[in-house]
Amino acid sequence: MRFFALGPVCVFFLLLWVPACGEKVTSGSVNPCCYLPCQNQGVCVRYAEDKYECDCIRTGFHGENCTVPEFWTRVRLFLRPSPGAVHFILTHFSWIWDIVNSTFMRDFLMRLVLTVRSNFIPSPPTYNSKYSYLSWESYYNVSYYTRLLPPVPEDCPTPLGVRGGAGLPDPELLVEKLFKRKTFRKDPQRCNLMFAFFAQHFTHQFFKTYNRMGPGFTKALGHGVDAGHIYGDSLKRQLQLRLLKDGKLKYQLINGEMYPPTTLEAPVKMNYPPNTPQNQQLAFGHELFGLLPGLGMYGTIWLREHNRVCDILKTLHPHWDDEQLFQTTRFIIIGETIRIVIEEYVQQLSGYHMKLKFDPTMLHNTDFQYGNRIALEFDHLYHWHPLMPDALNIDGDTFTYEQFIFNTSILSHYGIEKLVESFSRQPAGQMMKKLLCNLKNFITVT
Ligand code: HEM
Ligand SMILES: *[C@@H]1O[C@H](CO)[C@@H](O)[C@H](O)[C@H]1NC(C)=O
Ligand SMILES: *[C@@H]1O[C@H](CO)[C@@H](O)[C@H](O)[C@H]1NC(C)=O
Ligand SMILES: *[C@@H]1O[C@H](CO)[C@@H](O)[C@H](O)[C@H]1NC(C)=O
Ligand SMILES: *[C@@H]1O[C@H](CO)[C@@H](O)[C@H](O)[C@H]1NC(C)=O
């Protein structure tokens, strides 16, 4: 699945950052592409020591820096409503949307929502952290995240090309000035912690930076909604998590309720602090889901759902073997996930009055690319840590992060229902506005 409008958002973010930081370096021998001259996704090609040309083919623009719109681009730009206007319409005039929701227009507009946005995303994928030009390697090697914007050429005077300081800013300073929250503010769209942990749980199936290989690499080779956070990102891990009977996943029963097995029963590698006894290490598809009881809660819910669907399928298809029951259930779990993501999660996030719809047949007979590649910019933008509260309230008890993190007893001590209820009641923090404000202040002080 493509994750909607993130391409343009990334571009917006990076444009905000780049032009605002510092002065130009003027020197004869600077690679001219370090000035990042080519606009509108034109490609900078260096010709001589100090000569470049922008390749504007199929950008809809021409001119030295791909800034002059072609005729049809001009028409399109003139006719196309601004993203702000579209958003305003989608989040106001509920009487219109009440009509749309219950007629054929819903399908028509939903198709438009999906296809219009997917057109912003280059497909096949383009750059990655090593290649600022098109290459077979960056197309073929899925160990890389793709990149919507090419990396700054390596021989540039500064990390931003020619602007800003000669080195990257001090991370401590960045955190202090830009990211650190001084006072908690509730999310104005009224997201709760159930939403926050869903966001984290869901996105960690495709954001799995392979730090040992480098920040541009991913361990999630499926590049999308493959439920690798439930089943593991390799066949070996999947087999360790499977019961290998009736399609099911391994589990343990505590007080008659189903929970993930410990790593004694499912010997997968999990990241717990050293010295955590194995009988306290719960096993999940994702190595890090022991970190937070919120992730463990979702892991448990999906485990129960997987095994529930297996039971139903087995009664419907008594002759299916373990493998077919497992594979078919995984498909169903992925479908359920996408439906929840579109119809509840994105619905909540968007604030749209239009009722979004997941229907796999909707895009049949339309030009739609089903391939997908996760972009590095997408991962960076999805660091939604401001959603987290200052402390966690569970069933009347308050947990600091020290008490909450890696505390696997919370899951079975309170049980899934109590956790769902508590996380549904606690407001999440405000995400973006704060960061954008800080960013502006930061840029004006530096
Ligand atoms: C108490 C809660 C959380 C803790 C302690 C936590 C901690 C961390 C840490 C230590 C990292 C690795 C460093 C980094 O890439 O910045 C990380 C990465 C990340 N976090 Fe969180 N996080 C929390 C909640 C969330 C939530 C609610 C989201 C919502 C989407 C989120 C999204 C991400 C993403 C997308 C990454 C990058 C993952 C990757 O590329 O491998 N986190 N988090
Ligand atoms: C193209 O970009 C370069 C470098 O930023 C700039 O010096 C030049 O004036 C631009 N050309 C036009 C036609 O805008
Ligand atoms: C249309 O959908 C939105 C979003 O789900 C909802 O808030 C609104 O009540 C719906 N209207 C009708 C008539 O279904
Ligand atoms: C992808 O690129 C990395 C870094 O160059 C390399 O280590 C890895 O083997 C490549 N993977 C494939 C499948 O070629
Ligand atoms: C872990 O959670 C339990 C409640 O389930 C709590 O009693 C205990 O103090 C927590 N452990 C730590 C180290 O904070």
Side-chain angles (χ1 to χ4, degrees):
M1 180 185 54
R2 283 158 203 290
F3 221 74
F4 301 130
L6 280 135
V9 177
C10 302
V11 175
F12 163 73
F13 239 78
L14 293 173
L15 290 184
L16 195 78
W17 174 250
V18 174
C21 309
E23 65 284 351
K24 270 190 183 175
V25 176
T26 39
S27 151
S29 60
V30 170
N31 175 353
C33 291
C34 294
Y35 289 92
L36 311 178
C38 308
Q39 307 301 305
N40 297 303
Q41 270 146 51
V43 178
C44 188
V45 184
R46 192 178 185 180
Y47 273 99
E49 196 55 18
D50 57 353
K51 283 214 195 75
Y52 73 94
E53 206 166 274
C54 294
D55 182 347
C56 312
I57 290 172
R58 305 208 52 180
T59 60
F61 292 81
H62 60 95
E64 194 184 342
N65 299 328
C66 314
T67 49
V68 187
E70 287 162 2
F71 176 71
W72 285 114
T73 309
R74 224 178 271 279
V75 172
R76 203 166 36 85
L77 290 177
F78 178 74
L79 291 180
R80 194 174 62 198
S82 73
V86 172
H87 186 81
F88 187 83
I89 293 167
L90 281 160
T91 52
H92 293 77
F93 313 112
S94 53
W95 59 273
I96 299 181
W97 298 111
D98 279 354
I99 298 167
V100 169
N101 278 359
S102 50
T103 61
F104 71 95
M105 285 196 290
R106 182 183 175 207
D107 281 26
F108 173 77
L109 287 177
M110 188 64 209
R111 212 171 280 129
L112 211 60
V113 165
L114 295 169
T115 49
V116 165
R117 283 160 199 256
S118 75
N119 287 338
F120 291 131
I121 298 160
S123 179
T126 49
Y127 313 113
N128 66 30
S129 293
K130 181 166 176 195
Y131 297 96
S132 60
Y133 47 90
L134 301 184
S135 70
W136 176 260
E137 183 63 16
S138 76
Y139 164 67
Y140 187 73
N141 189 333
V142 294
S143 293
Y144 289 96
Y145 288 115
T146 188
R147 288 181 51 149
L148 300 167
L149 294 176
V152 173
E154 261 172 32
D155 55 357
C156 294
T158 76
L160 295 174
V162 292
R163 292 162 193 262
L168 290 169
D170 174 17
E172 301 259 345
L173 182 74
L174 267 184
V175 168
E176 193 60 42
K177 295 267 184 223
L178 207 51
F179 291 111
K180 200 164 168 186
R181 179 165 73 203
K182 268 100 202 171
T183 47
F184 175 86
R185 270 188 281 161
K186 280 190 217 170
D187 171 44
Q189 275 174 244
R190 304 178 64 234
C191 290
N192 57 29
L193 292 193
M194 199 63 190
F195 176 93
F197 288 126
F198 187 92
Q200 189 183 16
H201 181 85
F202 169 72
T203 59
H204 277 48
Q205 72 190 295
F206 46 75
F207 297 142
K208 286 189 85 173
T209 303
Y210 201 163
N211 288 307
R212 254 191 306 134
M213 271 181 85
F217 292 94
T218 176
K219 279 190 271 187
L221 305 180
H223 284 267
V225 184
D226 62 358
H229 59 329
I230 301 171
Y231 303 108
D233 62 14
S234 69
L235 182 56
K236 181 171 166 234
R237 195 172 174 97
Q238 180 203 112
L239 291 170
Q240 288 169 331
L241 289 163
R242 282 169 63 176
L243 195 57
L244 299 175
K245 187 172 176 292
D246 299 340
K248 289 189 175 177
L249 293 170
K250 287 179 185 166
Y251 60 90
Q252 60 172 319
L253 292 175
I254 302 175
N255 306 324
E257 294 195 318
M258 191 184 291
Y259 287 95
T262 69
T263 53
L264 290 169
E265 295 117 44
V268 292
K269 165 123 192 38
M270 292 294 298
N271 295 337
Y272 283 98
N275 313 326
T276 309
Q278 273 204 302
N279 64 6
Q280 283 169 34
Q281 295 193 16
L282 296 179
F284 296 98
H286 193 296
E287 300 86 319
L288 255 165
F289 281 3
L291 174 69
L292 296 163
L295 297 173
M297 172 192 72
Y298 275 112
T300 307
I301 290 172
W302 283 118
L303 166 72
R304 291 179 185 181
E305 178 61 4
H306 177 97
N307 287 348
R308 185 188 74 90
V309 171
C310 284
D311 281 335
I312 295 172
L313 281 182
K314 189 170 157 79
T315 58
L316 293 175
H317 304 280
H319 303 293
W320 282 6
D321 63 2
D322 167 70
E323 186 67 14
Q324 190 164 7
L325 288 167
F326 172 81
Q327 297 295 349
T328 308
T329 302
R330 182 175 187 167
F331 243 168
I332 291 170
I333 295 298
I334 290 171
E336 289 179 349
T337 300
I338 300 176
R339 161 157 250 147
I340 293 168
V341 165
I342 291 182
E343 296 191 357
E344 298 182 44
Y345 174 84
V346 175
Q347 184 79 63
Q348 156 66 20
L349 200 55
S350 67
Y352 291 175
H353 288 309
M354 180 192 154
K355 205 167 159 64
L356 301 180
K357 184 174 180 182
F358 168 60
D359 174 358
T361 65
M362 181 169 267
L363 293 169
H364 294 179
N365 308 319
T366 63
D367 292 335
F368 189 78
Q369 295 267 3
Y370 285 90
N372 198 35
R373 196 72 64 90
I374 297 296
L376 189 66
E377 291 98 332
F378 185 19
D379 185 336
H380 287 184
L381 281 170
Y382 231 116
H383 279 68
W384 289 356
H385 296 122
L387 284 174
M388 297 315 291
D390 291 338
L392 295 115
N393 307 322
I394 303 172
D395 198 27
D397 302 330
T398 302
F399 284 84
T400 64
Y401 282 98
E402 287 75 23
Q403 296 165 327
F404 191 66
I405 281 173
F406 287 120
N407 190 337
T408 48
S409 79
I410 290 179
L411 210 54
S412 52
H413 181 266
Y414 292 95
I416 298 302
E417 265 149 81
K418 277 275 182 307
L419 290 178
V420 169
E421 193 186 323
S422 304
F423 294 147
S424 301
R425 287 183 192 285
Q426 187 170 356
Q430 180 172 30
M431 265 190 291
M432 281 308 180
K433 215 174 210 156
K434 180 84 181 148
L435 178 62
L436 289 179
C437 281
N438 285 349
L439 194 58
K440 263 195 215 130
N441 292 338
F442 185 70
I443 287 165
T444 40
V445 293
T446 47

